[in-house]
Amino acid sequence: MTGPGDPPEGTPNGAPGGGEDEYRSVVFDESFVRAARLQEFSADERLGEHHSPAVKTRHAWMRLGGSRQAVLLVLLIVLAFGTAVYMGIRHPYKTPETVRAQPLRSAVVPLAPSGEVPGATPADLFAHSPAAHYRIGAAGVNLPAVLRTEHFSDGQIVSALTVAKDYIVRSSLDPRTLTGGSVRPVRLLLDTGQLDQFDRSLARPDDNGHDAATGWLVRFDPRQTRLADRNVRVNGTLAASELSPDALEVTADYTFVYAVRPAPGTPHTGPGQGIGKPTPGAASLVTVRREVHFRLSRENLNDHRLEVVQSSLQAGPLACSSRPADALRPLFAGQHAGQDRPTGTDPYARDRANPSLCGELAPAAQPKPSHPLR
């Protein structure tokens, strides 16, 4: 039989009491147990001081995750933008300089008649003149067929021709311009770089090749001349060509024929006013040939403006001494130039850079009315 407290299967190894007999002599009293100090080590302490943690500590910057990527992306964009700005400022190709408007160069040549100026009614004069089949007014200023150029489209060339036509109409056909009235419609079409020269030419005209008012427009002296017919006869051509990749040139070559008569109560004697008394009630014709070269930049096309680069005007019948820089003072029906004829030009005389010139009005250019007024 087993002893009290023994397991039913008996003690191990067949020994009574099993392996506990050797500890039976060790007895812990209650005070010893209570005084015992219990200490539980942490996992790190149990692993030892030389243990490396399996997971590394993450810094605050690393914990940002996607935010850090966003910040880096913003920095890259700022850097790229700054580089682009720097290269735009310091790039090796210089920005093309804006071409300044050129000053107008003009020539005004009076044409003296070989005999007496014929006179009649305006209708009779026009019917028996070379202008019999000319169109009237703006209808005589037609746009040509348009072909695009290397750097300008059809529409841009049409725009350039339209601005030039507007200038021709306003400066050569508008009754207000012809009779010394407002020149604002003409001025509005000019490149802003030419406005000072234009204003100076109108305020203080001079035949120095730059400041003739008649280089810009056709104008009669209102103190001496009236329009006998507002229907001006016109014939000529417009042509456009590419001057450069950034500019077009338009050339206008027109002949204008005006019917005029003397202003009432105005004396018509003196230098430049011809010989003889005008025929009462008779009108006479004045023929003006204008050849004008325009330049239009791309900016001009957008602003509906142009530069008048060169102007050549021939007008008659005028006396050679009429000095038509400010206005045209034609000879009227019944008058003649007398001894005021074209004179020779001395190319060795260097005292005047731009000598006044005068030509002779061909007899064929004068009308031969069937019923002249006397």
Side-chain angles (χ1 to χ4, degrees):
M1 291 183 62
T2 60
D6 292 335
E9 61 277 10
T11 60
N13 300 322
E20 295 182 357
D21 291 340
E22 55 182 318
Y23 299 104
R24 291 183 181 272
S25 59
V26 180
V27 178
F28 299 98
D29 58 12
E30 184 178 356
S31 61
F32 177 82
V33 172
R34 289 181 179 178
R37 181 179 179 183
L38 300 179
Q39 180 177 1
E40 182 177 358
F41 293 96
S42 65
D44 285 342
E45 290 173 332
R46 290 197 298 269
L47 291 174
E49 62 179 356
H50 299 292
H51 170 68
S52 297
V55 180
K56 294 184 178 180
T57 303
R58 299 179 64 186
H59 296 285
W61 173 257
M62 297 179 64
R63 290 196 298 270
L64 290 176
S67 300
R68 183 182 67 165
Q69 296 178 357
V71 172
L72 290 176
L73 180 60
V74 171
L75 290 176
L76 288 175
I77 293 175
V78 172
L79 180 61
F81 180 76
T83 303
V85 172
Y86 176 80
M87 294 300 294
I89 296 175
R90 299 294 301 273
H91 65 81
Y93 304 102
K94 293 183 179 180
T95 302
E97 297 182 359
T98 303
V99 179
R100 299 181 60 184
Q102 302 178 23
L104 168 67
R105 303 187 306 275
S106 62
V108 182
V109 180
L111 303 177
S114 56
E116 185 178 292
V117 177
T121 64
D124 196 25
L125 290 170
F126 283 127
H128 294 86
S129 75
H133 303 292
Y134 286 6
R135 294 188 176 186
I136 297 175
V141 186
N142 295 316
L143 303 187
V146 173
L147 293 176
R148 63 171 301 152
T149 64
E150 182 179 359
H151 300 96
F152 290 89
S153 66
D154 298 354
Q156 290 173 316
I157 296 177
V158 169
S159 297
L161 291 169
T162 301
V163 180
K165 174 180 178 176
D166 290 346
Y167 186 88
I168 292 297
V169 171
R170 295 184 188 183
S171 64
S172 306
L173 299 174
D174 189 339
R176 293 173 299 177
T177 302
L178 298 175
T179 56
S182 173
V183 296
R184 187 171 183 271
V186 179
R187 192 178 189 273
L188 289 175
L189 293 175
L190 292 175
D191 185 285
T192 55
Q194 289 190 318
L195 295 180
D196 289 342
Q197 185 186 10
F198 178 80
D199 295 340
R200 184 173 63 251
S201 300
L202 272 293
R204 298 181 300 278
D206 195 335
D207 61 349
N208 58 7
H210 295 283
D211 297 320
T214 45
W216 299 96
L217 45 81
V218 178
R219 181 169 69 171
F220 296 100
D221 187 344
R223 298 170 299 178
Q224 300 181 10
T225 307
R226 295 287 187 271
L227 291 176
D229 189 341
R230 297 168 67 94
N231 295 323
V232 182
R233 271 50 176 185
V234 184
N235 186 51
T237 59
L238 275 175
S241 61
E242 184 174 309
L243 189 63
S244 71
D246 297 315
L248 288 169
E249 180 183 43
V250 176
T251 302
D253 187 358
Y254 281 90
T255 299
F256 306 91
V257 185
Y258 308 89
V260 299
R261 60 167 48 99
T266 303
H268 298 282
T269 59
Q273 297 182 344
I275 305 299
K277 184 177 180 180
T279 302
S284 60
L285 297 185
V286 178
T287 303
V288 175
R289 172 78 175 271
R290 291 189 79 191
E291 183 175 351
V292 188
H293 294 265
F294 305 105
R295 180 186 180 276
L296 295 96
S297 64
R298 296 184 184 275
E299 183 178 357
N300 290 145
L301 293 177
N302 294 331
D303 297 339
H304 200 76
R305 292 177 179 268
L306 47 70
E307 296 176 36
V308 187
V309 178
Q310 187 172 0
S311 172
S312 174
L313 183 145
Q314 302 175 16
L318 272 70
C320 289
S321 58
S322 61
R323 297 181 62 82
D326 58 338
L328 303 180
R329 299 176 180 82
L331 302 178
F332 299 105
Q335 291 186 307
H336 59 88
Q339 299 301 316
D340 191 6
R341 311 298 300 166
T343 58
T345 301
D346 183 2
Y348 293 96
R350 304 181 61 85
D351 57 337
R352 184 173 178 82
N354 297 284
S356 297
L357 301 177
C358 184
E360 184 174 351
L361 185 64
Q366 289 293 304
K368 299 176 176 59
S370 56
H371 301 287
L373 297 178
R374 291 293 180 183

